[in-house]
Amino acid sequence: MQYPGFEGLMMYEKNNNSSERIINAAIYEFAINGYVKSTTKGIATRARVSEALVFKYFGNKQKLLGKVSMEIMSQRIPDLFKYRLEEMVPENDDFDLQIFIRIVSEKFNYIAENLGYIKIVFLDLSFNAEDTIQNVKSMLSKFLGQMDVKIVILQKKGIMRDDLEPRSIIRSFIGMLHVLLMEKNLLDPSLDIDKALAAHMNIFMKGVGVND
C-alpha cells in the first residue's frame, strides 16, 4: 500500500546528514514493507549509506524503529492527539454541529494522510517499547481527559444525554471514525468523507443526543 506524502521521503536533499537519510529511509521502508520485511541493508541502500553505518548510529533494526517512532511523534505528526476542542465544543457559546463535523473531518483527513506514520508507531508499540508506550499513554490520557470535559459540557447544555457515561460516548464516536477510516483506505478510496461523516454524525447524535 502506498501512503499519501510518502513519495517525498524518497527525495533527499544533498545537505542532509547520514543520520537523517537513514531515518527517512527507515520510515519509508517500515511503512511500505512492514517491520519483518524491512531490512537494514534495504534501509541503507535507500539512504545511500553503508549498512555498517546504520548499525553504528542505531545499533539494530529494533532500536532504529524506536528512534523512528520517537521522531514521528515529536516531529512528523505532533498534532495527532490535538483537537480544536474549544472551537468544537465552546463552553460559553452555542454548540454548532456543522462546525463540529468540519473540524472532525479535517482531523480525519489528517489521520488518513499520515496513516503510514501511525502504522510505524503501532509497530513500535508491538515491541513494548517503553518510551513509545509512555508517550502514547501520556498523549492519549490527556486527549481523553479533555474529551470527557467537553462531553460533560454538552450534557449540561442538554445536547447529549446525561444518563450515558462520557467515556462511553467517546468510545462510540472514535469507533465510528475507525470504521470510516478502514473503509476509506481498504475498501473504497473514493468514499466522500465529508458526506459520510455528516450522515454518521446525524445517526450518532440520534443515539446520544437529547431528542425533543
Side-chain angles (χ1 to χ4, degrees), residues 115-134:
L115 206 56
Y117 289 134
I118 296 169
K119 174 184 174 182
I120 293 172
V121 173
F122 276 95
L123 280 174
D124 196 29
L125 286 172
S126 70
F127 286 98
N128 294 314
E130 188 62 30
D131 288 342
T132 303
I133 289 173
Q134 291 304 318

Side-chain angles (χ1 to χ4, degrees), residues 3 43 93 108 137-138 149 171 182 188 204:
Y3 291 99
I43 291 169
D93 295 320
F108 184 95
K137 284 175 65 176
S138 176
V149 171
R171 292 189 191 109
M182 290 191 295
D188 185 7
F204 178 76

Side-chain angles (χ1 to χ4, degrees), residues 25-44 46 51 60-62 64-65 119-120 123 127:
I27 288 173
Y28 187 88
E29 291 289 326
F30 288 144
I32 302 303
N33 301 319
Y35 180 81
V36 174
K37 292 184 178 179
S38 295
T39 65
T40 51
K41 182 178 181 180
I43 291 169
R46 185 174 293 280
E51 188 176 16
N60 56 44
K61 188 169 74 169
Q62 186 173 335
L64 175 57
L65 174 63
K119 174 184 174 182
I120 293 172
L123 280 174
F127 286 98

Side-chain angles (χ1 to χ4, degrees), residues 41-54:
K41 182 178 181 180
I43 291 169
T45 299
R46 185 174 293 280
R48 306 195 317 273
V49 301
S50 68
E51 188 176 16
L53 196 61
V54 175

